[in-house]
Structures are given as structure tokens and as C-alpha cells.
Amino acid sequence: MELKRRIAFLWALIMGGFAIHSLADLMPLFWSEDISISNVGAAPAGMLVFMMAVSYLIPVAGILCVLYSSSKAASVINAALAVFTGLFCIAHMAELVNEFNPVQLVILPVMAAVGVLLAADSIKAARKSCS
């Protein structure tokens, strides 16, 4: 698969992983179980904005940089976004140590692996465009 298409596909896998990650936590609703976090209260707006940026805006920006621009700057921006996303996925997976969740045990390691592959391919593409 061509490098640009592979990077776009890996970005799509990241977006799908975040969607399934959220859906997995909502599944108990089908059995009338409570899924709310009772000791937190209302969701902080800053956290919601951050999660939308990480799960949608950053991947979309990465895809657009890869597919619609052949400039060095776009390639470097994509690589920076990919490295951030890969590190975020690894850090998010590391949370399983403190709060073990068997449902997320299936999803988060795969997302971390995809994030690492995405970062590696994006760096490779950035180096290729800068040379």
C-alpha cells in the first residue's frame, strides 16, 4: 500500500478505535446498568473539547495534511500530530494499570500499536518529503 494511503488508513483506524472505545463504555446501558461517574458531577467543558480534538479534529487534520498537500510543512505537521496521537494512546493505555477495565483491555493496546505504526510511517513520510 502506498505510504500516504497507509497513513490515512491508520488515521481512520485511530478514529474508529476512539469511537469503539467510547461505545464499549456505553454497552452496559443495554442491560439498564448505570454508567455515570457519580463523584465527578458535570463533565468539564475543557475535557470534552480536548477529547473531541484528540478523537476527531487531530485525525482529520492529519488525513487532510497527508492526502491534500505535498508540502514539507504539511508532512511535518502530520508527523507531529501522529507522534502526539501515538503517545496519547500509549499514555491512555497505561491508565489500565491504575483502573483495570477488561473491556478496554482489548481496545487500548491495539490503539497504542496503531498509534506507534502511524507515528513511524508519518515520520518516514516526513523524512522522505524533506530530502
Side-chain angles (χ1 to χ4, degrees):
M1 188 182 300
E2 182 188 340
L3 186 59
K4 283 186 169 188
R5 287 188 186 146
R6 188 168 64 218
I7 291 170
F9 182 71
L10 290 170
W11 275 120
L13 287 177
I14 288 291
M15 292 173 77
F18 277 121
I20 298 302
H21 168 60
S22 298
L23 182 64
D25 282 336
L26 296 175
M27 292 297 282
L29 285 174
F30 290 106
W31 291 271
S32 300
E33 290 185 30
D34 186 22
I35 62 166
S36 65
I37 303 172
S38 58
N39 60 349
V40 176
M47 179 59 79
L48 294 174
V49 169
F50 176 74
M51 289 312 299
M52 288 304 102
V54 168
S55 63
Y56 181 73
L57 295 176
I58 289 176
V60 166
I63 290 171
L64 293 176
C65 283
V66 168
L67 293 180
Y68 291 104
S69 180
S70 58
S71 72
K72 293 177 184 179
S75 186
V76 171
I77 289 169
N78 173 65
L81 294 174
V83 167
F84 171 78
T85 300
L87 291 173
F88 179 82
C89 289
I90 291 168
H92 195 46
M93 180 189 68
E95 291 177 3
L96 288 172
V97 173
N98 294 335
E99 295 180 33
F100 181 73
N101 184 342
V103 174
Q104 298 300 340
L105 184 62
V106 177
I107 299 165
L108 294 178
V110 173
M111 285 189 65
V114 170
V116 168
L117 292 172
L118 172 64
D121 279 352
S122 295
I123 292 168
K124 185 189 304 181
R127 285 184 178 159
K128 188 176 179 181
S129 74
C130 290
S131 62

